[in-house]
Amino acid sequence: MRELTYNEAALEAVAEEMRQDTKIFYMSTDPIPPLLKEFGDKRIRATPIAEGALTGMAIGAAGSGFRPIVDWRQVTFAFVAMDQIVNQASKIHYMFGGQRSFPIVYRANVGGGTRLAAQHCQCPYSMFMNLAGLKLFLPSTPYDMKGLLKSAIRDNNPVISFESNRLLARKGPVPEEEYTIPLGLADVKRAGSDVTVVALAWLVHEALAAAEALAAEGISVEVVDPRTLVPLDKETIRRSVQKTGRLVIADEAGPTAGFSAEVAAVVTEDDATFAALKSPVRRVCALQVPIPYSPGLEDHVFPDRKRITDGIRAVLKGPKPAAAA
Amino acid sequence: MAGNLSPDKQRQMLRQMLTIRRFEERASNDYHAGKIYGVVHCYIGEEAVAVGVCSALEPTDRIISTHRGHGHCIAKGADLNRMMAELYGRQAGYCKGKGGSMHIADFGIGMLGANGIVAGGIAIVTGAGLAAQMEGKGGVAVSFFGDGASNAGPFHECLNIAAAWKLPMLYVCENNGWAAQTAAVATHAMSDVAGRAAGYGIPGVVVDGNDIFAVHQAASRAVARARAGEGPTLIECKTYRQRAHTERKGQPDPRDQAEVEAWLQKDPLTLLERKLKAQGDLDDAGWQAMEREVMAALERAVAFAEASPFPTPEQATDDVFAA
């Protein structure tokens, strides 16, 4: 099968959908050259650096029958559009009694590894998970990127496509044939029986590397990639943990009220899954700090395969005995 | 002054202004009676702006409103029954009881919603203007907002982008002198919001917002310019919020009573009524009949609202996502 980078897969998804539906147009502060070349400057619009305006304009255009895509580029810039995201886009369908749908895709890069320091290395997706009315996904492979982004463009709701900075240039197989991946469906990236690792984006690859190394020791690790954050595929996560009895959650974001906390709750709130647990759930997250610049500092803040491995070993040991009273 | 507006059209404008006035008096009354919840912001005193502008539009044109939105809804042709049912929090309301006074929308008539965030609607309706431009059918979009919103970022961002792209937009600033409980003079360095248009290279027009024909004329010129592909216009309508920021009792109201009295003398509804009478296009009997008909329509709206069931609690989870 041919290989594309994660970024190329996303562009292919946009281009394919734009060819099929003339109501789709794209707004970004800098147009992407191949899209501009194919679709022209009316559908690939170069905008002022005014993300608040773009984010809101997409809502009005969507409510008027178009299917806009807004490229925030880094999620950092979404924060200047927060009113339009939080007060408008996420609520407008519900608040107006469902009288119109608002098909919008917002694209935003997330994650570290780029040495760009605190404002440009962020994983704030849990802030958006907290809103009702937005769908969110964060793929780990070019294949998933293309299939999910195509579904998002066809979805009749505001969807945020979170895209990992660390994976943009990473290659993977993408078939020539048309396909989509439904939002809300997790993918078991590696089957195993001893421990479940739920991981996102780059950490899926780190978890797979950890699993491969541990296989040599006879430890069987299952890696579950939720892919979509909202709606979250709780069933696949619970089914996996019911099988393995142990859960490690790996997330490039900090732990506080994060995606990892949500997954832990999904597992522990469910009677059957809770009953299957042989060990406390373990989270492997970034440190709860703004992301620092200097390489040694940044690398220390983010989790990696070594910390995932440590987490797996910890849950295999089971609960520590309670201290004597 | 009335330009080429037919007497029928002028009477229709008067009727719409009167409908807004009486609708809000009823809403305020029912709010204090506990039948309407949350908050009600009255547009009373500013009716000539919504009606003057919307009477220059086609049904397919799109508008967006503010937290003070009843007037824009009625001027764009919204159904009083469904409006009142929404205020009453009922299933038959425009938003199925999910929105209330601050969030009435009717996309079917090009009313893209009242909006509870000051300046929150400006970008949304600018997107509707972009949609109109892309549709290529000569449609226009109108952003109604207050003097308070003109100090917020979206005003600047959107006027700039609309000017740069020559979007078919009207930006209608309803300068009612007060941003909630803060006087506009305390937060504006320039006396005219319209003066800011120069910074975007678009026309900026100041009109007497209580003179409906002046508003209509300015809006008509701006609509023609927008339909011709020449881009947006900023229209500042100098008007006055005759009531406090909201209908809630006991809130601070720093408006000077003499200022209120002076503006009451320029009440836009009374001005239009007198003009039509002076022109010979309305007599006392006609005016009284109009009053009766408007009041009857409101009684029907209240009856419709009261007959509509409240949403069931389970409906709280409906419509979070579209199918």
Side-chain angles (χ1 to χ4, degrees):
Chain A
M1 197 185 293
R2 67 165 181 163
E3 295 214 322
L4 294 179
T5 67
Y6 188 86
N7 191 42
E8 287 165 347
L11 285 190
E12 191 168 276
V14 171
E16 284 182 11
E17 293 304 302
M18 286 189 72
R19 279 176 212 132
Q20 287 175 18
D21 187 344
T22 58
K23 291 291 187 187
I24 301 168
F25 70 100
Y26 199 100
M27 291 194 284
S28 131
T29 53
D30 281 322
I32 299 169
L35 292 178
L36 182 62
K37 185 161 180 255
E38 178 172 356
F39 298 103
D41 61 5
K42 293 290 179 257
R43 293 185 70 196
I44 305 295
R45 305 187 79 101
T47 73
I49 301 173
E51 287 83 1
L54 304 186
T55 301
M57 286 173 69
I59 300 168
S64 302
F66 285 85
R67 305 184 75 86
I69 301 171
V70 173
D71 194 342
W72 289 324
R73 303 158 66 110
Q74 292 293 334
V75 73
T76 297
F77 309 129
F79 293 131
V80 301
M82 242 10 198
D83 171 56
Q84 293 297 323
I85 302 164
V86 177
N87 287 319
Q88 315 293 345
S90 75
K91 297 175 172 59
I92 193 166
H93 178 263
Y94 182 88
M95 193 167 75
F96 292 157
Q99 61 179 279
R100 263 290 194 282
S101 60
F102 296 88
I104 308 165
V105 171
Y106 297 111
R107 296 184 66 193
N109 289 356
V110 295
T114 47
R115 312 302 187 213
L116 289 169
Q119 291 179 338
H120 290 70
C121 291
Q122 306 195 58
C123 294
Y125 26 82
S126 67
M127 291 171 60
F128 298 87
M129 288 174 73
N130 194 247
L131 301 166
L134 300 176
K135 295 185 180 180
L136 317 172
F137 67 93
L138 172 53
S140 65
T141 67
Y143 177 84
D144 290 350
M145 178 79 242
K146 183 178 175 187
L148 286 163
L149 186 53
K150 282 171 75 84
S151 290
I153 294 169
R154 295 180 193 183
D155 198 276
N156 285 327
N157 293 281
V159 184
I160 302 179
S161 171
F162 290 114
E163 304 173 20
S164 167
N165 279 319
R166 294 185 199 258
L167 298 178
L168 294 178
R170 194 180 187 106
K171 283 193 164 185
V174 178
E176 305 265 1
E177 308 82 63
E178 164 83 21
Y179 71 96
T180 60
I181 298 169
L183 299 172
L185 193 64
D187 187 37
V188 178
K189 294 287 195 230
R190 178 188 176 107
S193 54
D194 296 327
V195 179
T196 298
V197 177
V198 172
L200 290 172
W202 173 64
L203 289 176
V204 170
H205 302 282
E206 291 298 288
L208 288 170
E212 187 62 31
L214 288 166
E217 301 176 23
I219 298 169
S220 172
V221 175
E222 178 147 305
V223 178
V224 176
D225 177 1
R227 302 193 289 199
T228 304
L229 309 178
V230 178
L232 183 62
D233 181 355
K234 298 175 183 176
E235 285 317 303
T236 297
I237 294 168
R238 286 172 176 157
R239 203 179 314 122
S240 175
V241 176
Q242 284 171 24
K243 180 174 73 175
T244 63
R246 299 179 184 89
L247 174 62
V248 172
I249 309 157
D251 187 6
E252 235 181 306
T256 307
F259 164 80
S260 60
E262 181 66 19
V263 172
V266 159
V267 162
T268 52
E269 279 179 346
D270 181 65
D271 291 337
T273 315
F274 181 75
L277 280 176
K278 298 168 187 163
S279 173
V281 171
R282 191 122 187 151
R283 293 191 286 164
V284 179
C285 298
L287 305 183
Q288 195 73 34
V289 296
I291 304 306
Y293 163 69
S294 192
L297 293 175
E298 183 181 7
D299 292 345
H300 175 69
V301 166
F302 285 115
D304 57 8
R305 65 188 69 182
K306 181 181 176 307
R307 281 191 210 166
I308 294 171
T309 303
D310 292 346
I312 292 169
R313 292 193 194 285
V315 296
L316 281 167
K317 279 185 192 152
K320 284 182 200 151
Chain B
M1 294 223 299
N4 55 0
L5 292 165
S6 70
D8 272 347
K9 174 95 175 177
Q10 294 177 47
R11 281 190 293 266
Q12 189 192 329
M13 292 160 85
L14 179 68
R15 180 185 295 267
Q16 278 196 329
M17 287 178 67
L18 182 64
T19 304
I20 296 167
R21 178 72 53 98
R22 298 290 177 254
F23 180 94
E24 292 201 319
E25 287 167 352
R26 182 64 193 250
S28 175
N29 182 72
D30 292 1
Y31 172 69
H32 292 302
K35 295 176 181 175
I36 293 172
Y37 316 99
V39 71
V40 169
H41 301 86
C42 281
Y43 190 64
I44 288 173
E46 307 178 40
E47 297 94 334
V49 180
V51 177
V53 171
C54 290
S55 57
L57 302 178
E58 296 296 325
T60 47
D61 293 328
R62 301 181 179 107
I63 69 166
I64 211 159
S65 177
T66 68
H67 55 288
R68 205 173 297 289
H70 309 138
H72 308 114
C73 290
I74 292 170
K76 195 68 172 70
D79 176 44
L80 297 181
N81 291 0
R82 297 185 64 199
M83 282 182 69
M84 195 63 85
E86 187 58 36
L87 297 191
Y88 270 63
R90 307 299 175 111
Q91 277 188 15
Y94 264 118
C95 311
K96 303 178 189 168
K98 299 269 178 61
S101 168
M102 279 193 288
H103 304 300
I104 298 181
D106 183 351
F107 279 71
I109 60 166
M111 166 56 196
L112 274 53
N115 202 303
I117 307 298
V118 168
I122 302 178
I124 298 173
V125 77
T126 300
L130 174 59
Q133 187 184 63
M134 292 192 294
E135 285 162 354
K137 296 175 188 164
V140 306
V142 181
S143 182
F144 289 101
F145 56 92
D147 44 280
S150 76
N151 290 334
F155 169 86
H156 164 72
E157 291 188 13
C158 292
L159 264 72
N160 177 63
I161 203 165
W165 292 359
K166 290 194 181 308
L167 297 183
M169 292 291 310
L170 274 65
Y171 292 96
V172 178
C173 178
E174 304 176 317
N175 187 344
N176 65 15
W178 290 88
Q181 281 125 14
T182 299
V185 291
T187 57
H188 292 250
M190 297 201 299
S191 58
D192 294 337
V193 171
R196 298 183 187 181
Y200 310 104
I202 64 171
V205 186
V206 178
V207 296
D208 176 351
N210 285 23
D211 178 346
I212 191 164
F213 298 134
V215 173
H216 178 86
Q217 209 168 44
S220 298
R221 270 198 294 272
V223 166
R225 176 181 145 81
R227 292 204 205 286
E230 292 165 21
T233 302
L234 173 61
I235 301 174
E236 179 185 9
C237 299
K238 304 275 194 190
T239 183
Y240 195 69
R241 194 189 73 204
Q242 291 183 4
R243 299 169 84 107
H245 173 49
T246 80
E247 295 303 291
R248 189 173 296 154
K249 285 195 170 127
Q251 61 179 324
D253 183 5
R255 293 172 311 156
D256 180 60
Q257 208 43 47
E259 174 187 290
V260 176
E261 289 300 326
W263 277 96
L264 286 175
Q265 297 308 308
K266 295 187 278 184
D267 176 61
L269 178 61
T270 309
L271 287 178
L272 181 57
E273 177 210 337
R274 287 190 189 145
K275 259 182 210 161
L276 292 192
K277 284 181 175 170
Q279 288 167 195
D281 292 322
L282 183 74
D283 56 19
D284 285 341
W287 174 238
Q288 285 157 14
M290 193 181 283
E291 275 274 15
R292 278 195 305 276
E293 286 156 17
V294 166
M295 292 308 282
L298 286 173
E299 286 304 325
R300 285 196 298 277
V302 169
F304 176 86
E306 286 184 329
S308 171
F310 282 103
T312 63
E314 296 72 29
Q315 287 171 332
T317 54
D318 290 351
D319 291 326
V320 177
F321 289 108

